[in-house]
Structures are given as structure tokens and as C-alpha cells.
Amino acid sequence: MDKKDLKIVYMGTPDFAVEPLKVLHENGFNIVGVITMPDKPAGRGHKIQYSPVKNYALEQGLRLLQPEKLKDEQFVEELRSLQADLQIVVAFRMLPEVVWAMPKLGTFNLHASLLPQYRGAAPINWAVINGEKETGVTTFFLTHEIDTGKIIQQEKEPILDTDNAGTIHDKLMYKGSALILETVNAIIAGTVKAKPQEELYQSESELKPAPKIFKETCKIDFNKPSREIHNLVRGLSPYPAAWCSLNTGKEILATKIYETETIESVHQLQPGSISTDNKKRLDIATSNGFLRIKELQIPGKKRLPIEDFLRGFKLEEGMRFE
């Protein structure tokens, strides 16, 4: 089969899903439909905002579908009318069987981890939070259980000490785009030998999950070791960001922390205590040393490097982070 004869339906919503769609389109694949989330109001003015995938599809004149419900009969019939040979899913939502089982060549997903590890909604965040030295991208065929289908291909990506969730997101976005291209070409060539994930582990206890991130997930506990807190900050930066409370004695300021360094040191301070020169350095005591703050944000202010923050905010004796 020639790639122009292969009819593809592509499903995705955020920025992460735009680059793979762009790569497929620019390489001459026949994308007969793009499916993305319905428009939603956003921001203070509640203006209708298009998803990044919708914006790209409109720019390129690709046929667009935005179903409220994926089991809706009208949508299913419209999807069936596209007569897709293959469906590709990147950062979308869980599909019903009536949708993912429709194409004769199946439906495959791009996942931002080395499956079977880090199944779930936030694989990039959790890999960094857990201090992993390596992650990657996986293409796999969809089945009933989320993120459990047979693996088609994988590519590894190192996690450097200087990386955070944002940098890994971008690296995997481009690596994943190339992997999707390879996967589609392998499907066309008939060379795919999909591997059951069960062959890659002995017990479910070996698997690390990647559940959705909630506000409480992002709360810093200064009773923990510096490295563990540092990894939490990295794994949540730039979004949604780790946070803690700055207790000034007069008010409690919810403070987002974006960049840190670890300092291992023996001290007698209570975790959360502040050590600062009020000029260029802000260290917070942890269970085994200090967390040096490089960038933060307090309510009503911009995200600032620590030097700029200390220039406008004096930390006084008795203040602490909680």
C-alpha cells in the first residue's frame, strides 16, 4: 500500500499532539479526519479557545470533528464514513471499542513513557518526580484496558539532572513524532511484530503508575530529603508547579517553586526554616540539608529569579515555609 492510499484519522488535543500531526501531514500522508476536544471557554473573559490541534487542522484545511461524546451515534456514523484504514491517538481521551476497533489496521497510541512503566495520565511528570534517569516514547495498539495494548515500537530518552517536566515534554514530543512516522511506515510495510506488555514484567508490583496530578500531589513536605523535594519541583515545572506556604507571621502566602538546587548539610534547624542573606540566597531546611530556591512566585506577583524576589521582599526572622 502506498502512503497516499492509507486513510488516517488522527486524534489529539494539546501541543504535544500537534507536532506528530504536522510530521504526518508534511510527509504526504492522507489524513482524512482530525478529531479533537470540543471548544471550551478559557481565561478571565471566558472566551472560546480552540485546542492547538484544532488550530493546526484549520490552518491546513483538514477535516475536523469535535464530538461531545465518542459513543454518539451521529459521530460514530460520520467517523465510519471516513473509511479510515488506521487511527492514531496522541494525548486525547479514552476511546470506546466502537471507535478504536473500527479501522482494519487498528488504532495505535503514542504514550510518553517506556511502557509498561508509567501507564496513566501524567507519565512525564512521574518519571521526573521519581528521579528516573531514563524515559522514552512508545507506540502501541489500543485495547480495552488503558495503556496496556501490544507494543509496536519504543525509543529511549535520557533524563538529565538539568531536565524538568517541560524540557522532557518537548524532547519526547519530537522523538514521539519521529516514532509515529516509523510506526506508520512499518504498518504499511507489514513488518510490525507487536509485543504483549506482559512479556516485559513478572509481576504488577514492578510497575510504576502515572496517575493524574492533583493539587495535593504538588504540595512540598520539607520533612523529606532535599533530593526528593528537588525532584518533585523538577517533575512539576513549569506546570502545574510544586507549592508550599510562606508563613510571614501575618499572612500565609501560597508560593510556587519552579527551580531548586540541593544542599546536603548537617543542621539543627526545623524543616521549613529559612536561611537567607536577603540578597541572592534563599535556602529552606529539609530533613537532610537545604533546598536552595532559584525561582519562585508568590500570589499577585510574576514568577521571579530569587535575586529579583529578594530585592522586593524582605524575609524576616521567624518567617518559615510550611
Side-chain angles (χ1 to χ4, degrees), residues 3 14 43 46 85 90 105 113 119 128 167 172 186 192-193 205 216-217 235 241 267 283 294 299 301-302 316:
K3 65 181 180 182
H46 296 286
D85 303 301
V90 182
L105 295 178
S113 82
R119 294 169 176 166
V128 180
T167 60
L172 295 186
V192 169
K193 294 181 180 178
S205 63
E216 278 309 304
T217 314
H267 62 75
D283 298 340
K294 308 294 287 183
K301 301 293 183 181
K302 294 179 180 179
E316 298 176 352

Side-chain angles (χ1 to χ4, degrees), residues 16 62 67 137 173 188 192 209 225 262 271:
F16 191 84
L62 299 172
V137 282
M173 178 175 67
I188 291 173
V192 169
T262 59

Side-chain angles (χ1 to χ4, degrees), residues 10-147:
Y10 186 90
M11 305 183 189
T13 296
D15 286 319
F16 191 84
V18 174
E19 190 63 27
L21 175 58
K22 181 180 178 183
V23 166
L24 288 168
H25 184 59
E26 291 182 351
N27 276 271
F29 285 93
N30 183 16
I31 300 166
V32 295
V34 174
I35 301 171
T36 192
M37 293 283 278
D39 303 330
K40 290 184 178 180
R44 292 182 179 178
H46 296 286
K47 293 181 179 179
I48 294 298
Q49 186 170 319
Y50 293 171
S51 76
V53 163
K54 177 174 180 175
N55 281 327
Y56 181 80
L58 290 174
E59 287 170 7
Q60 304 303 318
L62 299 172
R63 184 169 178 179
L64 189 69
L65 289 79
Q66 293 181 272
E68 289 283 349
K69 296 180 180 178
L70 297 176
K71 289 184 179 180
D72 179 78
E73 287 185 17
Q74 184 176 343
F75 164 69
V76 171
E77 282 307 309
E78 189 173 5
L79 182 62
R80 190 172 284 120
S81 73
L82 298 178
Q83 298 182 320
D85 303 301
L86 178 69
Q87 290 178 159
I88 300 172
V89 183
V90 182
F92 194 49
R93 48 181 164 160
M94 194 169 179
L95 303 182
E97 184 174 1
V98 67
V99 172
W100 61 255
M102 193 179 293
K104 63 182 180 182
L105 295 178
T107 299
F108 79 82
N109 180 264
L110 174 71
H111 189 72
S113 82
L114 296 173
L115 290 173
Q117 297 295 346
Y118 295 106
R119 294 169 176 166
I124 294 173
N125 302 97
W126 284 108
V128 180
I129 289 170
N130 289 339
E132 301 287 0
K133 299 298 183 184
E134 184 178 70
T135 184
V137 282
T138 303
T139 51
F140 69 97
F141 286 114
L142 289 192
T143 187
H144 292 92
E145 298 296 324
I146 191 166
D147 297 338

Side-chain angles (χ1 to χ4, degrees), residues 280-293:
K280 294 184 177 181
R281 178 181 60 81
L282 169 58
D283 298 340
I284 306 174
T286 68
S287 67
N288 70 337
F290 292 91
L291 193 71
R292 179 156 291 173
I293 308 302

Side-chain angles (χ1 to χ4, degrees), residues 100-247:
W100 61 255
M102 193 179 293
K104 63 182 180 182
L105 295 178
T107 299
F108 79 82
N109 180 264
L110 174 71
H111 189 72
S113 82
L114 296 173
L115 290 173
Q117 297 295 346
Y118 295 106
R119 294 169 176 166
I124 294 173
N125 302 97
W126 284 108
V128 180
I129 289 170
N130 289 339
E132 301 287 0
K133 299 298 183 184
E134 184 178 70
T135 184
V137 282
T138 303
T139 51
F140 69 97
F141 286 114
L142 289 192
T143 187
H144 292 92
E145 298 296 324
I146 191 166
D147 297 338
T148 61
K150 291 182 178 181
I151 290 172
I152 308 169
Q153 291 179 310
Q154 291 185 318
E155 284 288 337
K156 295 179 179 179
E157 177 67 36
I159 301 177
L160 308 177
D161 288 341
T162 53
D163 278 320
N164 60 23
T167 60
I168 293 298
H169 170 281
D170 292 350
K171 290 177 183 181
L172 295 186
M173 178 175 67
Y174 291 107
K175 183 153 282 190
S177 300
L179 189 66
I180 279 183
L181 205 58
E182 290 178 26
T183 298
V184 175
N185 284 327
I187 288 171
I188 291 173
T191 58
V192 169
K193 294 181 180 178
K195 187 172 189 175
Q197 292 190 34
E198 292 74 19
E199 294 182 9
L200 300 176
Y201 62 93
Q202 299 287 324
S203 166
E204 293 277 346
S205 63
E206 300 171 32
L207 303 182
K208 299 174 184 177
K212 189 175 179 180
I213 301 287
F214 294 98
K215 185 177 180 180
E216 278 309 304
T217 314
C218 307
K219 178 76 165 67
I220 295 172
D221 180 358
F222 290 106
N223 291 293
K224 292 184 175 180
S226 299
R227 173 59 59 175
E228 190 174 331
I229 303 170
H230 175 66
N231 287 339
L232 179 73
V233 171
R234 293 169 62 217
L236 297 170
S237 182
Y239 181 83
W243 66 276
C244 54
S245 296
L246 172 56
N247 188 338

